[in-house]
Amino acid sequence: APPPPQNERWVFLTSKDGDLRDKEATRLIYEKHQPQCVIHLAALVGGLFANMSQKVEFWRDNVAINDNVMHWAKEFKVKKLVSCLSTCVFPDKTSYPIDETMIHNGPPHHSNEGYAYAKRMIDVLNRCYHDEYGCNFTSIVPTNIFGAHDNFSIESGHVLPGLMHKCYLAKKNGGAFTVWGSGSPLR
């Protein structure tokens, strides 16, 4: 990241800095750093198999994280909160191309509904916090990004990193590179 302007201090936190599922731990983070702006990237994330087998945990943990981050942003009078949604928030059955106005036009795919609905609620709470308290909260939907520190697990990672790992293993072991599914799903 480029250095911040002279009158700004940027703070980058990880889960080691506090458990955002915990209301008091989240309050202490806000109290310590007194942020004016927050970019909320925290989430319990996983790939298809993790989402399918742990729907309740994905819902509960992400709702708790989002509720605490947003509540304390309001309490500490944060000027701007930007949260990240996910492409899985979009309806399973939809028309293409998709855009942010279509988020609530039907249920998400059942395979990750716990995570998807928790992320959708950020969009709802952005409006609620604005309407009730005048907060400047918004969200973005980054689509299928990955990077050096992503989860490349075939079982619990996202599609692109998981495919990269499968391809690497096939090349390394001289085996076949097999992609699951029909290729018909769209996002």
Side-chain angles (χ1 to χ4, degrees):
Q6 293 291 342
N7 62 342
E8 292 181 7
R9 181 176 62 95
W10 294 0
V11 177
F12 299 90
L13 302 175
T14 71
S15 57
K16 294 177 185 133
D17 295 297
D19 184 350
L20 297 178
R21 296 170 300 179
D22 180 89
K23 189 173 185 175
E24 180 62 11
T26 308
R27 185 192 68 77
L28 291 171
I29 289 171
Y30 274 88
E31 185 175 82
K32 178 179 179 180
H33 297 289
Q34 298 289 317
Q36 293 181 5
C37 299
V38 173
I39 300 174
H40 169 32
L41 305 174
L44 171 64
V45 297
L48 179 62
F49 296 119
N51 272 281
M52 288 172 61
S53 64
Q54 300 170 49
K55 291 179 182 183
V56 173
E57 290 76 13
F58 276 88
W59 163 262
R60 289 179 53 102
D61 283 0
N62 285 297
V63 165
I65 290 167
N66 299 334
D67 184 50
N68 289 329
V69 167
M70 296 175 95
H71 170 75
W72 291 114
K74 190 258 307 175
E75 291 296 313
F76 279 85
K77 298 179 178 27
V78 167
K79 293 178 185 174
K80 178 85 171 191
L81 169 66
V82 179
S83 300
C84 275
L85 304 184
S86 169
T87 55
C88 71
V89 300
F90 289 103
D92 181 35
K93 308 288 188 231
T94 191
S95 59
Y96 292 90
I98 55 177
D99 66 47
E100 67 279 1
T101 65
M102 302 164 76
I103 289 173
H104 302 285
N105 289 354
H109 193 272
H110 64 87
S111 65
N112 56 10
E113 62 190 348
Y115 180 72
Y117 277 119
K119 286 300 203 176
R120 275 189 185 185
M121 291 302 101
I122 292 173
D123 182 60
V124 172
L125 282 174
N126 284 338
R127 290 191 304 275
C128 293
Y129 271 101
H130 177 268
D131 292 349
E132 189 168 340
Y133 302 109
C135 295
N136 188 12
F137 295 176
T138 191
S139 53
I140 60 171
V141 185
T143 55
N144 297 323
I145 58 175
F146 68 95
H149 301 288
D150 209 322
N151 178 358
F152 287 82
S153 168
I154 295 168
E155 289 79 29
S156 65
H158 289 108
V159 173
L160 289 179
L163 283 174
M164 292 169 75
H165 189 191
K166 282 183 86 168
C167 185
Y168 166 78
L169 291 175
K171 176 129 177 113
K172 177 182 164 192
N173 299 328
F177 175 57
T178 305
V179 179
W180 300 326
S182 65
S184 61
L186 299 172
R187 276 221 183 150

